[in-house]
Amino acid sequence: MSKKDLYEVLGVDRSATPDQIKKAYRKKAIEFHPDKNPGDKVAEDKFKEAAEAYEILGDADKKARYDQYGHAAFDGAGGFGGGGHHMNMDDIFSQFGDIFGGAFGGGFGGFGGGGGQRRMKGSNLRIKVKLTLEEIANGVEKKVKVKRKVQAKGVSYKTCSTCNGSGQVMRVTNTILGRMQTSSPCSSCGGTGQIIDSKPAGADAHGMLLEDETVSIKIPAGVVDGMQLKVSGKGNDAPGSNGIPGDLIVAIEEVEHEFLKREGENLHYDLYISFAEAALGTSKEIEAVGGKVRIKLEEGIQSGKILRLKGKGIPSLNSYGSGDLLVHVNVWTPKTLNKDQKQFFEKMLEDPNFVPKPEKTDKSFFEKVKDMFS
């Protein structure tokens, strides 16, 4: 089933500003908020749908990737962010609670922005993963070792005495307009409503230990250098008994291929042949991401000829097929000649067959470049 366009979900144009996107999300969130629609599964799904759209469109980097690649930029079949209905209510209220302002009293554990205990999310971790062109073309599963902060076994928490577990402290100030009451996250517990009661030896002040964990990452075919993928829940743990872990952000780094040059979904290969091979025709075995490919060169082939091998490039991240492999034919001119070779070419200087006679079908350099990018 095709996924909805995120701009349509929030009801905004693609040219919408960050403020317009935020206002549109708040409007949808209030309309379909669970407190306003108790027991309504359809409203709950729409509430989650809007939150998932805002998770991407509300972030400049994610929005740019979505604009370029669509849902495929986040769908890596391995838990990457941006897919359909992957967020739960805890995720939504912990990440976007401030969006709701004072509209609701903080249902689902008091996550709303109107006050109440705040559920903490752990910090994200970032790593780089190097991929060869073959791995990018085929997709790959990588196992990486990351150092994560995890809650130590045996750590216990108690209610924060400063805020009495609410996670908020109230302040009353006198202004020219009268007495004003404001609330802010408790500085003692960071808004969680809990502080450490006891912790085992070796744990830090937040009850955390640094541990190695091997994480499996499924990377889809067609990713590009610099793209970031998200593995949910594989970042650092959050303090407190009701915290949720952060995410692991995976930055893709493409390893340069020895022979093939990438340009979007197309690949380029420089093939050098001799005068004799160009004149007589030949067959050559060349590199491709799926293994070696043999191609035939007709006799009389010209230097600068571009041969297009359909579907031998990189698969589209949006599953729209694959790019092509463009083979650039270069006739190699020998730099040194012996006496007999020189005499041969001197005799050919006036030979009609050696006089350049470009035909209308022999395209110019600029026409070849135009074809290459079309």
Side-chain angles (χ1 to χ4, degrees), residues 131-140 257 260 287-291 314:
L131 299 178
T132 65
L133 204 54
E134 287 79 9
E135 289 173 329
I136 290 174
N138 299 312
V140 66
H257 195 277
L260 298 170
E287 293 282 344
V289 289
I314 301 295

Side-chain angles (χ1 to χ4, degrees), residues 29-345:
I30 291 174
E31 180 183 355
F32 298 112
H33 195 286
D35 287 355
K36 195 174 180 180
N37 304 273
D40 188 336
K41 185 67 170 60
V42 174
E44 181 180 326
D45 287 343
K46 288 184 178 295
F47 182 74
K48 292 180 181 179
E49 192 177 64
E52 288 160 5
Y54 182 69
E55 181 195 16
I56 293 174
L57 299 185
D59 182 288
D61 178 59
K62 292 179 181 177
K63 181 178 181 295
R65 283 152 47 202
Y66 176 78
D67 288 344
Q68 185 173 5
Y69 299 105
H71 288 286
F74 305 92
D75 280 352
F80 303 126
H85 298 291
H86 71 282
M87 299 179 74
N88 56 39
M89 289 300 184
D90 291 347
D91 291 332
I92 296 169
F93 284 108
S94 64
Q95 292 184 50
F96 310 132
D98 62 313
I99 295 288
F100 306 123
F104 298 93
F108 289 86
F111 288 33
Q117 191 179 52
R118 188 162 62 97
R119 189 171 189 181
M120 298 293 290
K121 182 174 182 179
S123 58
N124 292 340
L125 293 175
R126 297 178 182 274
I127 62 169
K128 280 187 177 181
V129 173
K130 293 185 177 182
L131 299 178
T132 65
L133 204 54
E134 287 79 9
E135 289 173 329
I136 290 174
N138 299 312
V140 66
E141 182 173 354
K142 288 280 189 179
K143 294 185 183 296
V144 297
K145 184 176 287 187
V146 296
K147 286 186 177 295
R148 298 180 58 224
K149 285 185 178 181
V150 298
Q151 279 197 12
K153 292 181 179 179
V155 66
S156 62
Y157 298 88
K158 62 182 180 181
T159 300
C160 175
S161 58
T162 303
C163 64
N164 294 320
S166 70
Q168 302 283 320
V169 291
M170 306 298 295
R171 291 183 175 84
V172 178
T173 55
N174 293 316
T175 71
I176 59 174
L177 300 176
R179 292 166 64 84
M180 301 287 291
Q181 180 174 287
T182 59
S183 65
S184 60
C186 175
S187 59
S188 297
C189 63
T192 64
Q194 299 176 329
I195 57 175
I196 286 183
D197 185 26
S198 64
K199 61 185 178 69
D204 65 14
H206 301 288
M208 300 289 179
L209 291 173
L210 198 61
E211 293 185 355
D212 289 332
E213 181 176 340
T214 300
V215 179
S216 181
I217 307 170
K218 291 182 178 179
I219 301 174
V223 294
V224 297
D225 186 79
M227 180 178 284
Q228 292 185 348
L229 307 174
K230 183 180 80 173
V231 185
S232 299
K234 290 302 180 180
N236 291 320
D237 280 353
S241 60
N242 63 346
I244 55 176
D247 304 318
L248 177 64
I249 308 300
V250 182
I252 301 300
E253 184 175 337
E254 185 176 317
V255 178
E256 188 174 347
H257 195 277
E258 184 179 2
F259 303 108
L260 298 170
K261 301 297 180 184
R262 183 180 181 183
E263 180 195 32
E265 293 162 6
N266 292 331
L267 297 174
H268 297 269
Y269 181 89
D270 276 317
L271 175 63
Y272 289 88
I273 61 175
S274 68
F275 272 156
E277 289 173 322
L280 300 174
T282 186
S283 64
K284 288 285 186 178
E285 195 174 63
I286 64 170
E287 293 282 344
V289 289
K292 293 186 180 296
V293 175
R294 182 165 289 278
I295 61 172
K296 185 177 181 180
L297 307 177
E298 72 275 14
E299 61 181 46
I301 193 168
Q302 299 298 312
S303 187
K305 177 80 172 180
I306 299 174
L307 305 177
R308 185 184 292 266
L309 305 185
K310 289 281 188 181
K312 293 294 184 180
I314 301 295
S316 166
L317 197 59
N318 288 316
S319 302
Y320 294 148
S322 297
D324 303 327
L325 173 57
L326 303 171
V327 182
H328 301 260
V329 177
N330 302 281
V331 178
W332 180 260
T333 302
K335 296 181 179 180
T336 57
L337 299 172
N338 60 33
K339 183 179 179 181
D340 292 338
Q341 291 168 338
K342 280 187 175 182
Q343 288 178 348
F344 170 76
F345 283 110

